[in-house]
Amino acid sequence: MKTVDSIEVVVTAIEEVTPLIKRFTLRQIAGGGLPPFSGGCHVTVVMRGGERTFRNPYSLLSSPRNLDSYEIAVRRDDQGRGGSLFMHESVTVGTRLEISHPINLFPLSKLARKQILIAGGVGITPILAMIDDLSAGPISWELHYSMRGHEHAFFGNWLTGQHGDRVRLYDTSAGQRIDFATLVARQPLGTHLYVCGPGPMIADALASARAAGWPESHLHVEQFAPPPAGEAFEVHLATSGKTVQVSAEQSLLEALEAAGIEAPYLCRSGACGRCELNVVELDGELLHNDHWLTAEDRLSGTKIMPCVSRSKCRRLVLDW
Amino acid sequence: MLVTNVKSRPQYQQLRFDASGRFHLFIGQGEGGLAFQRVRPELPDSAEISVIYTGESLTGCDLSEEVSGCGWRQLTLLPTQVDALQLLDEVLAKSVMGIRLYVAGSEGFIGVAEQVAARYNLQSDELQREHQGSSARRVYCVHCQTSRDDVTTNIVVCRGCGRHLLVRDHYSRRLAAFMGVMADAEAPGCLPELCEVYE
Ligand code: FES
């Protein structure tokens, strides 16, 4: 099944930029320019690997001014669910893939007076395209980028070469850490903070900013975390009368998709709210892993974000 | 009707202390002092607070003494609204992230204070507004771009071009004013009856 608005692309180059990260260049098979995007956008890549289909979101890291091709970077995760391994092992130059249209859930504020970008590891990818946007404009910006060891410094070195001391690199293998408390302490009004990286780094950055009185409207986060595994359960769809089995390794959304149901989604990481479904009945408890539902929503037990959340039960009935 | 349900008119609230901020700046004018008196007891002693107030108002309601009497560590009293707004601009230019701005007073005063705040990209979660006192409108003449902020009637003479302006219910956030359009453009000299509508 192909979704209506997907784009068929072919891999035209693969480059190993660090021991763990590969960069893929994608061109449209139909030829012509790809849809325009802005820094911070991601696409969902559909990977049909054997019996399982993965749909993983990856940020576009190439310049938004170049629409001949898109570039994404994938970090190999040997413990992961298989999407990144598929990209690293099964995809070669010439492989055809399906991607969604670019969506921006991590846009730069246009009214900001100063932009502070913070990245950890492969979290640099959306920020590369954002910097491309920023370097063409008048707003002042700086990047704080933390990575582990020299062999992981490919993007860091490239950025330093391009932008000099707007870029600060932190090598965690040498014990260097971003001092968030100092960083957020004396920033001019209208400063916005953007963080993309591992969970604990995001948590540290946000905690420091909030402690310094930063309001939520100036804090921007992007995190693509795979949906947590759990126990298998059964979902029944009240409207269509279908019944679907969700395996321990699958997310609820993936199980629906595998059954041929086109459930809505955008971020696939519990942040955007697009995939929200209503719970009609349940003989157990909901395990919420999203950042979207409010505390009241959770208490009510009537809503679930199927991209990351699941249920510990035998049977879940959804209003769908 | 002119005054019913103005959808574009901003929504005001009562000022409440926002503990998520680190620095708190209060600025008020005229009856806005009432809001400061009311909110003062809920402000923690440890909070870093400064206050700018001017007694200048259309209604002649100068609460300088009452506001001073509340006991602020940092209070600046100024003779005019222009002075107060000028100081606001200077303070914001030197401020750092973590500030919360609280504005209280007439609609015109709040509107201009918001324009100053917008230059520093203060967003709705950093800014509270409480309307106190006259609901006189600040009116912007769409013909000559002059504004006046003491308008209590449905028809007003523009100080810039002398036209008779009909005060429309359309509020522009960008201009912080209601739109005034020539009232007798169709039939010169033929004006609707003048009435006090926004005391
Ligand atoms: S797709 Fe965005 S929250 Fe589920």
Side-chain angles (χ1 to χ4, degrees):
Chain A
M1 173 206 56
K2 191 167 91 58
T3 44
V4 216
D5 58 351
S6 64
I7 306 168
E8 292 192 82
V9 293
V10 58
V11 177
T12 57
I14 301 177
E15 192 185 351
E16 206 161 307
V17 295
T18 80
L20 289 175
I21 298 175
K22 279 186 178 176
R23 173 165 63 181
F24 298 80
T25 307
L26 313 172
R27 267 175 205 276
Q28 183 152 242
I29 291 172
L34 286 155
F37 71 101
S38 49
C41 270
H42 76 267
V43 295
T44 300
V45 179
V46 185
M47 297 166 242
R48 300 187 196 281
E51 72 262 35
R52 267 191 88 173
T53 298
F54 294 101
R55 286 180 177 77
N56 285 8
Y58 293 109
S59 300
L60 297 179
L61 61 91
S62 45
S63 164
R65 287 171 286 180
N66 167 23
L67 299 177
D68 293 338
S69 60
Y70 288 161
E71 287 170 19
I72 58 170
V74 180
R75 183 183 190 279
R76 181 191 177 103
D77 181 0
D78 290 303
Q79 264 59 260
R81 295 151 17 98
S84 72
L85 283 181
F86 176 85
M87 290 299 289
H88 271 252
E89 285 171 359
S90 308
V91 172
T92 56
V93 170
T95 300
R96 293 173 167 226
L97 293 167
E98 213 180 283
I99 61 172
S100 69
H101 275 251
I103 290 155
N104 205 340
L105 298 172
F106 193 41
L108 287 164
S109 159
K110 298 233 166 28
L111 297 171
R113 299 172 72 231
K114 178 177 178 182
Q115 313 276 27
I116 300 181
L117 310 164
I118 295 168
V122 75
I124 192 67
T125 51
I127 286 173
L128 286 163
M130 291 158 96
I131 288 177
D132 197 84
D133 280 344
L134 286 173
S135 59
I139 305 172
S140 91
W141 62 273
E142 63 192 49
L143 166 68
H144 299 262
Y145 179 26
S146 118
M147 73 254 153
R148 188 167 27 88
H150 285 302
E151 70 272 28
H152 296 278
F154 175 85
F155 289 121
N157 292 338
W158 183 80
L159 284 165
T160 320
Q162 297 283 310
H163 303 289
D165 33 309
R166 284 182 187 271
V167 176
R168 274 217 43 199
L169 303 182
Y170 302 78
D171 180 355
T172 53
S173 70
Q176 295 171 348
R177 293 272 183 282
I178 304 175
D179 178 356
F180 290 116
T182 308
L183 183 60
V184 298
R186 301 207 51 82
Q187 295 297 344
L189 294 185
T191 306
H192 286 245
L193 192 75
Y194 305 81
V195 202
C196 186
M201 175 194 206
I202 293 178
D204 273 4
L206 292 181
S208 302
R210 287 176 184 140
W214 286 53
E216 297 301 315
S217 61
H218 292 244
L219 302 174
H220 313 271
V221 169
E222 177 97 309
Q223 185 183 25
F224 295 131
E231 289 166 34
F233 60 100
E234 179 180 289
V235 246
H236 181 71
L237 306 180
T239 316
S240 64
K242 289 188 185 165
T243 299
V244 175
Q245 306 298 329
V246 185
S247 74
E249 298 296 309
Q250 254 176 338
S251 72
L252 174 50
L253 178 62
E254 286 168 335
L256 295 175
E257 287 168 341
I261 295 156
E262 270 194 50
Y265 70 83
L266 286 179
C267 70
R268 301 182 83 90
S269 51
C272 74
R274 182 71 181 87
C275 66
E276 186 177 305
L277 294 176
N278 291 321
V279 174
V280 180
E281 211 184 291
L282 159 86
D283 59 0
E285 63 172 316
L286 297 173
L287 304 175
H288 295 290
N289 297 309
D290 62 277
H291 316 283
W292 173 260
L293 293 178
T294 63
E296 286 140 56
D297 288 339
R298 290 177 180 219
L299 265 183
S300 77
T302 59
K303 289 180 176 170
I304 186 166
M305 312 307 289
C307 63
V308 289
S309 299
R310 54 198 306 124
S311 152
K312 191 175 158 63
C313 67
R314 289 208 339 266
R315 189 162 180 269
L316 167 70
V317 182
L318 295 175
D319 173 14
W320 174 264
Chain B
M1 280 285 290
L2 279 176
V3 267
T4 50
N5 276 327
V6 185
K7 288 220 184 62
S8 54
R9 191 166 201 164
Q11 298 292 306
Y12 302 107
Q13 72 242 78
Q14 283 211 335
L15 301 185
R16 299 291 314 268
F17 181 69
D18 177 357
S20 70
R22 280 285 291 276
F23 318 100
H24 305 268
L25 174 59
F26 288 78
I27 177 162
Q29 157 275 340
E31 282 95 337
L34 296 170
F36 291 0
Q37 287 177 277
R38 191 199 65 243
V39 82
R40 179 68 186 95
E42 58 171 275
L43 304 178
D45 285 338
S46 55
E48 256 191 69
I49 295 167
S50 48
V51 182
I52 302 170
Y53 177 79
T54 172
E56 187 195 38
S57 79
L58 279 177
T59 51
C61 173
D62 182 350
L63 298 173
S64 296
E65 251 171 61
E66 289 80 349
V67 170
S68 310
C70 293
W72 310 90
R73 243 170 290 159
Q74 257 210 58
L75 167 69
T76 312
L77 292 175
L78 291 163
T80 70
Q81 298 187 25
V82 171
D83 294 331
L85 294 163
Q86 166 85 41
L87 181 60
L88 172 66
D89 200 339
E90 287 162 20
V91 172
L92 292 182
K94 283 182 291 189
S95 294
V96 295
M97 288 299 295
I99 204 170
R100 294 297 179 273
L101 178 65
Y102 307 78
V103 187
S106 71
E107 192 159 48
F109 182 78
I110 294 175
V112 181
E114 277 191 283
Q115 284 185 321
V116 175
R119 291 208 281 276
Y120 297 91
N121 187 223
L122 258 66
Q123 292 180 242
S124 57
D125 53 355
E126 305 169 271
L127 173 72
Q128 294 183 33
R129 309 162 302 180
E130 177 167 337
H131 180 226
Q132 284 284 352
S134 154
S135 48
R137 292 183 166 189
R138 186 172 136 87
V139 172
Y140 173 88
C141 171
V142 303
H143 309 284
C144 77
Q145 277 111 51
T146 307
S147 297
R148 57 184 289 175
D149 53 13
D150 54 350
V151 180
T152 57
T153 49
N154 61 335
I155 305 284
V156 68
V157 174
C158 174
R159 288 201 186 113
C161 62
R163 285 184 176 91
H164 281 89
L165 301 177
L166 173 70
V167 181
R168 295 203 43 225
D169 272 347
H170 176 72
Y171 182 82
S172 157
R173 288 180 71 93
R174 189 175 61 83
L175 300 164
F178 287 89
M179 299 295 103
V181 295
M182 194 169 171
D184 54 350
E186 302 287 313
C190 173
L191 291 166
E193 196 184 330
L194 184 82
C195 39
E196 283 279 332
V197 272
Y198 326 113
E199 294 97 89

